[in-house]
Amino acid sequence: MKTIELEYDLVIVGGGTGGPMAAVKAKEKNPKLRVLVLEKANVKRSGAISMGMDGLNNAVIPGHATPEQYTKEITVANDGIVDQKGVYAYASNSYAMIEELDRWGVKFEKDETGDYAVRKVHHLGSYVLPMPEGHHMKKVLYRQLKRQRVDITNRVVATRLITGVNGEIAGVMGFDCRTADFYVIKAKAVVLCTGAAGRLGLPASGYMFGTYENPTNSGEGHVMAYHAGAELTNLECFQVNPLIKDYNGPACAYVTGPFGGFTANSTGARFIECDYWSGQMMLEFYNELEGGRGPVFLKLDHLAEETIAEIEHILHTNERPSRGRFHERRGNDYRQKAIEMHISEIGFCSGHSASGIWTNEKGECSLPGLYAAGDCASIPHNYMLGAFVYGKFCGENAADYIAGKSATVINTDMVEAERRRIMAPLARSEGLTPFQVEYKTRRIVNDYLQPPKVTRKMEIALERFGEIKDDLDELGAVNPHELMRAMEAHTIRDCAELAARSSLFRKESRWGLYHLCVDHPEKDDENWFCHTNVSKGADGKTVFRKREIEPYIVELNAEEKAAYQRLRVAGTKTAIAV
């Protein structure tokens, strides 16, 4: 295996959604920059939008919503634990990004007047913009990358960041998952766009790659940032979503809700007013599912034929086209019966909750020269459009940071240590397989971390994760592809430990089901109305700190603050009290 050394001004790790936008905007800001997109799959078909997307969940479009209104919505949905500047910065730039994507060739649904056809799903405002032909998204992005002459290296798995003597970013390391060649890439700045930690829990179906999130996104960005010394935030705010039972995809109330579909209990009755995914909504879902009125279903069988046909066109051709084949094999027909739903495995994903690598409203992380955008970053409920907007912020701000900056001298000992860590499994003719170690880790995640959370369970989980850390020294890999799985096993274990330690640190319940603690069942604003940031200390141990909520720039009244406590349909009772 060769060692390949490269040098760029800016390296972007991840070629899914935010990564391509960051690269394009950095080159637009300074066409002379040497910009590289590093992707462990292929940029043409990678990331959470590899098969496209069926709509924008958070489009802030004049005439339908305002940045102030959206900022209120996300603040309320997150129990007030937000950096409003970050949310407002997204909301203020949302419409301009939609217009630019429109010019690039992305096709959004429009009404007969040519206006964007915005739908209402959220509890307070209207932000959903359908994309019936969203399957072409990756082609549009790839065309822009080539137009800006961005360099692309596919099939390289990034594993660690390189830092300078003062903690500043100096590059990234990784390996080719087909040749095992070791890569050392010097850079003046790095943007992490690695997506969610989507392979943290194990799906109820038992399929290791049958996750709600894109399973190739196993949390590399989170772990790279952590080991480099950057702060992560609110990792106890798990992502837990409703999904189709036994299918790795959302039930898509976002798509069906505006057409008249809704979530129903076993009697066929609607029990929540708003199908917008929030922790409180998921708590109501959990209570109904486990409280004697489950299973829970997506109900469409009351709709007209032409309405169902339109829903099928959207859901079965974009994002997850296997959905239609799944229903066909199951004998499911939206016209005949409701579709059974369930609760997903846990993960880290700011797109649907509020956890990730801490970033400010400019996309800057806590280390100089490090930026993050999309599901791996911390701007809450960011979704695809948020990844684009913050990809833009990161690319432009990184270009400014790089200007006039000389390359940092890298620590050769750090590089050699990482090379040895990566290559060790290839040198073992016998040993544990990556699949064994990964399955064991994720099985423990489900047994001990899945909400509702119990202190003693999480303590046991940490003991088991410590044992698995020793197991990693026995990992073997027979080829470069299996080596990628081995390094992912390292990443998944690290994320699992961070999830447990973060959950133990916050001693209250918050965000509905996302952080529902049996031992601390009440919300405690006096002690825990704050962010919880975690980083790696000089001794290698996790270090936590409470980070104050910055002063709001959009104030809320008492009724607005309590909006998400009124999600149940009037007259229905909670099935159980957890």
Side-chain angles (χ1 to χ4, degrees):
M1 283 72 72
K2 298 180 294 184
T3 295
I4 297 174
E5 297 184 359
L6 303 172
E7 185 169 354
Y8 282 87
D9 295 308
L10 176 63
V11 174
I12 295 155
V13 183
T17 307
M21 184 61 72
V24 168
K25 291 303 174 181
K27 289 288 283 186
E28 286 182 353
K29 191 73 178 290
N30 182 356
K32 294 182 179 180
L33 284 181
R34 298 166 298 164
V35 178
L36 172 69
V37 172
L38 199 65
E39 168 60 50
K40 74 174 182 180
N42 189 302
V43 172
K44 289 183 178 180
R45 187 70 83 181
S46 62
I49 64 167
S50 59
M51 297 301 291
M53 187 58 61
D54 50 36
L56 301 179
N57 298 335
N58 53 345
V60 184
I61 296 176
H64 299 278
T66 66
E68 291 76 14
Q69 182 186 37
Y70 182 79
T71 301
K72 284 186 178 183
E73 180 97 45
I74 300 306
T75 302
V76 174
N78 284 282
D79 278 343
I81 309 297
V82 297
D83 291 320
Q84 276 199 352
K85 287 182 181 178
V87 177
Y88 190 85
Y90 157 75
S92 300
N93 287 271
S94 165
Y95 184 54
M97 179 57 67
I98 293 170
E99 290 185 307
E100 181 158 31
L101 291 170
D102 201 335
R103 291 192 297 271
W104 285 3
V106 176
K107 297 179 181 178
F108 301 106
E109 184 175 324
K110 297 179 180 179
D111 61 24
E112 62 277 4
T113 70
D115 189 18
Y116 293 113
V118 180
R119 310 285 176 82
K120 179 175 174 57
V121 174
H122 294 63
H123 195 55
L124 300 177
S126 300
Y127 313 103
V128 175
L129 177 57
M131 299 166 57
E133 299 180 56
H135 54 271
H136 62 297
M137 180 64 74
K138 291 297 292 186
K139 292 181 180 179
V140 171
L141 292 177
Y142 188 74
R143 192 181 305 128
Q144 293 299 320
L145 287 172
K146 301 307 290 184
R147 183 171 294 165
Q148 293 295 335
R149 300 185 181 278
V150 173
D151 286 354
I152 298 170
T153 298
N154 293 313
R155 306 296 176 186
V156 170
V157 182
T159 58
R160 289 288 188 270
L161 296 167
I162 305 171
T163 54
V165 293
N166 297 314
E168 74 278 20
I169 293 301
V172 64
M173 295 175 282
F175 65 97
D176 190 301
C177 63
R178 290 185 170 175
T179 66
D181 289 339
F182 180 57
Y183 275 73
V184 181
I185 307 172
K186 298 178 182 180
K188 299 173 184 177
V190 171
V191 181
L192 296 174
C193 300
T194 51
R199 225 158 78 221
L200 182 52
L202 191 67
S205 65
Y207 296 113
M208 288 181 69
F209 286 81
T211 53
Y212 178 92
E213 288 294 343
N214 177 8
T216 65
N217 294 345
S218 54
E220 287 95 339
H222 298 75
V223 171
M224 290 167 65
Y226 174 76
H227 284 296
E231 290 193 332
L232 290 82
T233 191
N234 300 328
L235 295 186
E236 68 277 12
C237 183
F238 292 171
Q239 173 189 256
V240 188
N241 286 325
L243 79 169
I244 297 171
K245 183 75 165 60
D246 298 329
Y247 177 77
N248 62 325
C252 272
Y254 272 118
V255 175
T256 63
F259 289 98
F262 59 86
T263 303
N265 60 26
S266 60
T267 70
R270 185 169 193 167
F271 59 95
I272 45 177
E273 294 277 5
C274 172
D275 287 323
Y276 172 60
W277 301 332
S278 66
Q280 188 60 38
M281 178 270 194
M282 286 308 305
L283 181 57
E284 300 290 2
F285 189 108
Y286 173 84
N287 285 337
E288 203 76 6
L289 185 68
E290 301 294 335
R293 289 200 289 267
V296 172
F297 299 89
L298 176 64
K299 185 171 172 57
L300 304 175
D301 54 356
H302 59 290
L303 301 177
E305 166 60 32
E306 57 270 23
T307 303
I308 293 177
E310 186 172 355
I311 290 172
E312 286 179 327
H313 172 72
I314 296 171
L315 292 183
H316 299 174
T317 59
N318 290 314
E319 187 181 352
R320 306 187 196 227
S322 59
R323 185 195 315 267
R325 297 192 294 275
F326 170 82
H327 286 323
E328 183 179 1
R329 293 293 297 271
R330 273 286 173 94
N332 294 337
D333 187 336
Y334 296 141
R335 299 159 185 78
Q336 303 297 324
K337 62 180 181 181
I339 306 301
E340 187 178 358
M341 298 167 66
H342 200 62
I343 292 176
S344 74
E345 68 286 345
I346 70 168
F348 296 150
C349 178
S350 65
H352 298 106
S353 64
S355 63
I357 305 162
W358 178 80
T359 61
N360 63 14
E361 67 275 12
K362 297 180 179 180
E364 299 168 333
C365 302
S366 59
L367 297 181
L370 184 62
Y371 301 79
D375 286 346
C376 72
S378 64
I379 305 301
H381 294 240
N382 219 0
Y383 305 105
M384 181 180 72
L385 188 56
F388 283 140
V389 170
Y390 268 88
K392 174 180 183 291
F393 291 168
C394 289
E396 292 176 344
N397 291 323
D400 288 339
Y401 170 84
I402 290 165
K405 182 177 175 57
S406 58
T408 301
V409 177
I410 66 173
N411 185 329
T412 56
D413 290 340
M414 176 190 298
V415 172
E416 179 57 25
E418 181 61 4
R419 188 194 66 79
R420 288 196 303 269
R421 185 183 77 90
I422 291 172
M423 298 303 165
L426 290 174
R428 298 189 184 102
S429 57
E430 295 182 359
L432 299 172
T433 71
F435 308 99
Q436 290 173 313
V437 175
E438 178 181 336
Y439 185 86
K440 180 179 179 181
T441 304
R442 295 171 65 190
R443 181 74 269 162
I444 291 169
V445 166
N446 275 34
D447 287 346
Y448 296 104
L449 300 188
Q450 191 84 10
K453 302 176 183 180
V454 178
T455 297
R456 186 65 188 121
K457 281 187 175 183
M458 291 184 288
E459 291 171 346
I460 293 172
L462 286 174
E463 294 175 17
R464 300 290 87 82
F465 297 147
E467 295 164 0
I468 294 172
K469 190 172 185 178
D470 294 335
D471 290 341
L472 295 176
D473 293 332
E474 304 300 324
L475 271 177
V478 300
N479 56 50
H481 181 80
E482 202 164 283
L483 180 63
M484 175 176 67
R485 296 287 179 245
M487 291 302 105
E488 288 174 342
H490 279 256
T491 294
I492 293 166
R493 195 223 68 91
D494 286 356
C495 285
E497 180 178 339
L498 286 169
R501 293 194 184 281
S502 298
S503 296
L504 286 169
F505 181 70
R506 183 181 285 272
K507 293 177 173 57
E508 65 158 356
S509 287
R510 191 173 289 274
W511 303 297
L513 187 62
Y514 294 168
H515 184 63
L516 178 61
C517 295
V518 173
D519 304 289
H520 308 284
E522 302 299 325
K523 189 185 299 183
D524 181 3
D525 280 344
E526 182 179 352
N527 295 297
W528 291 102
F529 190 72
C530 62
H531 302 279
T532 57
N533 279 27
V534 60
S535 58
K536 183 178 180 179
D539 59 359
K541 296 181 180 180
T542 53
V543 177
F544 285 93
R545 72 177 180 95
K546 294 182 179 181
R547 180 168 58 87
E548 290 185 1
I549 306 295
E550 293 186 5
Y552 287 169
I553 57 176
V554 179
E555 291 299 329
L556 294 85
N557 59 41
E559 184 177 356
E560 289 168 334
K561 288 179 180 179
Y564 274 71
Q565 309 306 313
R566 302 190 299 271
L567 292 183
R568 289 196 71 86
V569 170
T572 66
K573 295 181 179 180
T574 301
I576 60 173
V578 179

